[in-house]
Amino acid sequence: MLSFSQFFTGFTCIGLMIFFCSFNVSAQTDSTTNKNSAKTNKQLNEIQRAINTQKQNLSNANVKIGDLEQQLKKDDVAIGSIIKGIVETDKNLKSVRQKLAQLTQEKQQFELAKRQQEQVLAKQLRAAYSAGHHDYLKLMLNQKKSSNVQRTITHYQYLNAARIKEIEEFKGTITKLNDVEVRYQSQAEQLAQLTESQNQQKQILELSKTKQKQTLVALNKKLLTAKQKLIKLEQEEKTLVALLKRMAAAAQAAKNLVGLSKLKRKLSWPVKGRISHSFGSSKQGYLKWKGVFLSAPIGRQVKTIHNGTILFSDWLNGYGLVSVVDHGDGYMSLYGHNQALLKSVGDRVEAGEPIALVGQSGGQAESGLYFEIRHIGKAVNPKLWCR
């Protein structure tokens, strides 16, 4: 039988063995945990870096998109300005051509009068030459009767007066003809200058259009996802609504502007074209069209649906070159994606008056007109007003 001391010694040895084994296992566990924790932290740091990189990329992309949109604005505004200049040049050319046509007519009339007067003077000179073989004093002295003398003197006076009259008329015709020729030459020079200016404007226009296309391609490359496009459209729509609210608050109904409430189904469409996007149809995601898009060729005239005052005439993100007309009583009409704006803020316009030209500004893929009607800020279906 083991003594107490032997038992205690054996028990102590076993306890120490268990303790050291336990300590060793705990140390190994802690070491494994630390390794796993370090690995996890490393992975989290890598994920965080990836997130930050992605955020930076998105931020850079948004900055790039903003820069491209500003460049697109510059391109659209430049094209609109050039087109407006070309329109004005065309008007001036038309006016000059009309003046030239009138001057050409006047010139032909004076040249005809000149030829006729030359013929009359030639006859008178020939008659005077024929009578010149007889001495004037001799003719009077040879008259046997005083009545014959008086008749001869009267005859000569009549011939001289007629001759002087024809000469004065001829001089007047020559003066008028010279004046017409001077004016004609001036108008012809102006026509040449306007034609040269128009050619230069068209060359600059082509360069601006090329630049616009390049900007648009770069912008479309940045908008890759449907979500990005939706966000962009949301921002554009919010901007438009805010702008219209400010204009509605600032608008003061001018005299004789009574709105559109009594004109349902009576108004003409602002441009002749096919409706490719209808009011209320899907635009992107949950967004709906607040107006209609009328497909039409570039350069076609955009006419206001009713008389009113121009409230806005400028470039707007997503809508390009835009005109907004106040019709009174809370009614407004909006015309977007124009190539050029022909009216300025504050201009009074009448129904059917051209206010813009069809285009595809604002990054629009196809040419046409975006058209809205709003009442007290709320978009309404244009089909209810336009026949």
Side-chain angles (χ1 to χ4, degrees), residues 233 276-289:
L233 288 171
S276 56
H277 297 288
S278 298
F279 177 86
S281 61
S282 178
K283 188 174 186 181
Q284 181 79 29
Y286 67 88
L287 291 179
K288 307 292 182 184
W289 283 87

Side-chain angles (χ1 to χ4, degrees), residues 193-230:
Q193 290 173 357
L194 287 170
T195 303
E196 177 63 24
S197 173
Q198 189 182 55
N199 290 335
Q200 291 176 356
Q201 287 172 328
K202 287 180 178 178
Q203 289 175 0
I204 297 170
L205 176 62
E206 291 306 314
L207 292 173
S208 298
K209 282 183 176 179
T210 301
K211 192 175 179 183
Q212 181 195 47
K213 287 179 182 177
Q214 292 171 348
T215 304
L216 192 55
V217 169
L219 182 59
N220 288 332
K221 282 182 179 178
K222 292 295 176 184
L223 296 171
L224 299 178
T225 66
K227 187 176 181 180
Q228 284 177 312
K229 291 178 181 178
L230 178 61

